[in-house]
Amino acid sequence: MQFVILSIILLITFLFLRWLKRLTATSTALPPGPNGYPIIGNLLDMPSVTPWKTFTDWSKVYGDVVYLNLASQPTVILNSAKSAFDLLEKRSDIYSDRPTSTVVEMIFWDWNIGLMPYSPKWRNHRREFHQYFNQREVPKFQPIQLRESRAFLRRALNSNNDNDLGQHVRHIFTAIILKIAYDMDITDIHDEYVRLAEEAVLGLSVVMLPGAHWVEYFPFLKHLPEWFPGFLVKRTTNYYRPIVETMRNKPFDKIQQDIHDGKATPSLTTSLIERMQRRSGSSVLSPTDEELARNVSGISYAAAADTTTSAAQSFMIAMSLYPDIQRKAQEELHRVVGPDRLPDFDDHDDLVYIQAIALEAMRWMVVLPLGVYHRVMSDDIYNGFLIPKGSTVIANAWAMLHDPVDYPEPTVFKPERYIKDGKLDPSVRNPLTLAFGFGRRICPGRYLATGSLFMTIASVLHTFTIQPTVNEDGKVFDPFSSVVSGIVSSPDYVPCIMTPRSDKARQLIQESSI
């Protein structure tokens, strides 16, 4: 009881001092935003479900740039592409930092390159990652992408359980990155490594929603016991932490042991370790080098396995709801590829409608609706308003990708919006410029992700017809009713049935191989 009373006293004191400091420090006008409460500010205003939609509604009242005070932690929401590019791109020298996160540390995701503060350590990690996944290097992974896309076709052909479709989709991208990162072959949708990637990223997605956990703003709360009333975050992070640790360490440790035993095969991780060994002249990695290699390998595995999966699942759902679009895509595939083979990467430039479907899949159900938060490193003035040093800056990608000016009828899946005169229309804003982040923190794995998504879409539509499942009342399932609401937004269920388009398509699938 004494511990609880002391914690409450400390909390009240901490809140008051932070509120007083912020109250007396601001002289220039802050951007407009909802009125908060003394001391705790807007914490009680923060939505726990689909916050991006609430932020978008706020923009209609307060403008594109909305200011929140989350227990004296200044937070700025950017709801337009213009404000995001003006600040996160054009002023990236001061907007490339990441906020320090207590829950990220508690769940053991602080090794994640995408969440690291802007620092020499982050630059070293980014440099190593970029070396393997830049635009020039990614084409060498195309045989793996083709192999796994076609393996998915065979699994879908042999599966009679549509409840497994979402897992089959996840299998594609987890298998691609595990082969690249660790030279591991995954043949079962229930493989341990598929499950680890899914659960680890789910844990991060759940705990990182803005305003969801007060420990983020009052770090000393992490010392409260797990049983403390209302302190769900500690139980959540304690559950996911060992999963994250296993996901990061288990495959890397296996590669290290294989190298030691002289039986390692080529992979990203093997290359990283051996190059560092040559550089240091020692077979034993220094702690710094080992951490770097372990982190780069781990984040390539985790990030690629989840975000691309979400986009592919959205594509499946869209095709089941828009049969005319599916038919147009199949007509293009018949014209370009023909009935006697499967599509490959050489067909990319001629499959304009397939490219447009991939773009729309990234826009329609936004994978990272709030992106990954930035932190401004010095006071800044934008449109006459102060953005204080240390502010968390959230780019509401959902609002930008559903802007009716850039994308008329934004809730409609409409690939035609990107096409003019048979080519991709450069006058339409490319959703990839918004979906993968901004400035120096743009996702370095985007080239691998878009290539994998394109090949999966082309392969599936060439061989299968996708139809919706129906509920007990005979109505088509609402795909937006089961979207998981977290930092990563994805369908909880893929209510679709895939059937081969013809006997010839079935034969192509059965004979497919690389």
Side-chain angles (χ1 to χ4, degrees), residues 230-509:
F231 199 46
L232 179 62
V233 66
K234 197 156 191 176
R235 275 170 277 171
T236 302
T237 54
N238 284 349
Y239 171 80
Y240 283 108
R241 184 181 178 99
I243 296 172
V244 178
E245 290 174 335
T246 303
M247 184 214 67
R248 172 181 179 256
N249 295 326
K250 187 171 182 177
F252 186 88
D253 291 341
K254 182 182 182 301
I255 294 291
Q256 278 195 313
Q257 187 62 49
D258 286 348
I259 292 175
H260 180 269
D261 295 341
K263 59 179 184 181
T265 53
S267 69
L268 179 153
T269 306
T270 304
S271 174
L272 266 172
I273 293 173
E274 292 179 343
R275 185 160 54 82
M276 291 177 177
Q277 289 173 336
R278 290 193 300 270
R279 186 173 62 195
S280 65
S282 171
S283 61
V284 179
L285 295 182
S286 69
T288 299
D289 281 348
E290 179 174 324
E291 179 189 31
L292 177 59
R294 193 179 292 270
N295 292 350
V296 169
S297 301
I299 195 56
S300 64
Y301 164 30
D306 200 81
T307 53
T308 320
T309 295
S310 297
Q313 291 173 338
S314 299
F315 148 73
M316 295 284 188
I317 292 171
M319 292 303 96
S320 73
L321 299 178
Y322 295 88
D324 288 345
I325 291 174
Q326 186 174 178
R327 191 160 39 250
K328 289 179 184 178
Q330 290 166 342
E331 289 171 356
E332 180 183 69
L333 285 159
H334 182 80
R335 184 177 69 254
V336 173
V337 179
D340 299 322
R341 66 177 179 89
L342 293 173
D344 59 37
F345 282 98
D346 291 337
D347 300 312
H348 177 273
D349 292 348
D350 295 322
L351 293 173
V352 177
Y353 199 70
I354 299 297
Q355 293 181 57
I357 287 176
L359 292 175
E360 189 72 338
M362 292 295 298
R363 185 202 69 82
W364 187 53
M365 286 185 177
V366 187
V367 176
L368 290 168
L370 296 178
V372 183
Y373 314 147
H374 292 240
R375 177 183 178 274
V376 65
M377 294 181 281
S378 62
D379 284 351
D380 192 27
I381 303 295
Y382 182 63
N383 290 342
F385 294 111
L386 171 68
I387 299 179
K389 175 182 178 180
S391 294
T392 296
V393 182
I394 300 176
N396 186 355
W398 191 91
M400 301 173 202
L401 290 166
H402 286 76
D403 183 343
V405 175
D406 285 336
Y407 309 105
E409 298 181 284
T411 61
V412 177
F413 192 93
K414 191 176 181 181
E416 289 82 3
R417 69 174 83 246
Y418 306 106
I419 299 175
K420 183 178 181 180
D421 299 327
K423 299 179 181 180
L424 293 182
D425 185 356
S427 69
V428 177
R429 190 185 299 278
N430 188 326
L432 302 184
T433 63
L434 303 171
F436 284 109
F438 301 91
R440 301 176 190 182
R441 303 308 293 247
I442 192 170
C443 173
R446 61 194 183 279
Y447 301 114
L448 181 72
T450 53
S452 298
L453 181 62
F454 166 83
M455 186 45 58
T456 298
I457 290 173
S459 300
V460 168
L461 290 179
H462 193 54
T463 52
F464 282 96
T465 296
I466 304 172
Q467 296 173 303
T469 56
V470 295
N471 59 26
E472 296 177 353
D473 299 326
K475 296 180 179 179
V476 173
F477 185 84
D478 178 7
F480 293 98
S481 67
S482 66
V483 173
V484 177
S485 183
I487 195 70
V488 176
S489 180
S490 60
D492 185 45
Y493 171 58
V494 181
C496 305
I497 298 173
M498 295 172 58
T499 55
R501 294 181 59 200
S502 65
D503 290 339
K504 181 63 176 178
R506 183 187 297 273
Q507 181 183 351
L508 285 176
I509 296 168

Side-chain angles (χ1 to χ4, degrees), residues 114-138:
L115 303 178
M116 285 182 182
Y118 188 69
S119 63
K121 179 179 179 179
W122 170 78
R123 284 191 288 271
N124 287 338
H125 281 71
R126 173 82 177 208
R127 188 181 305 114
E128 292 291 346
F129 191 98
H130 179 76
Q131 178 172 301
Y132 292 95
F133 293 102
N134 65 65
Q135 194 169 14
R136 293 187 304 275
E137 290 295 313
V138 160

Side-chain angles (χ1 to χ4, degrees), residues 133-152:
F133 293 102
N134 65 65
Q135 194 169 14
R136 293 187 304 275
E137 290 295 313
V138 160
K140 71 183 181 184
F141 301 132
Q142 288 178 356
I144 298 174
Q145 293 168 301
L146 274 174
R147 186 190 74 174
E148 294 304 331
S149 295
R150 294 176 181 183
F152 167 73

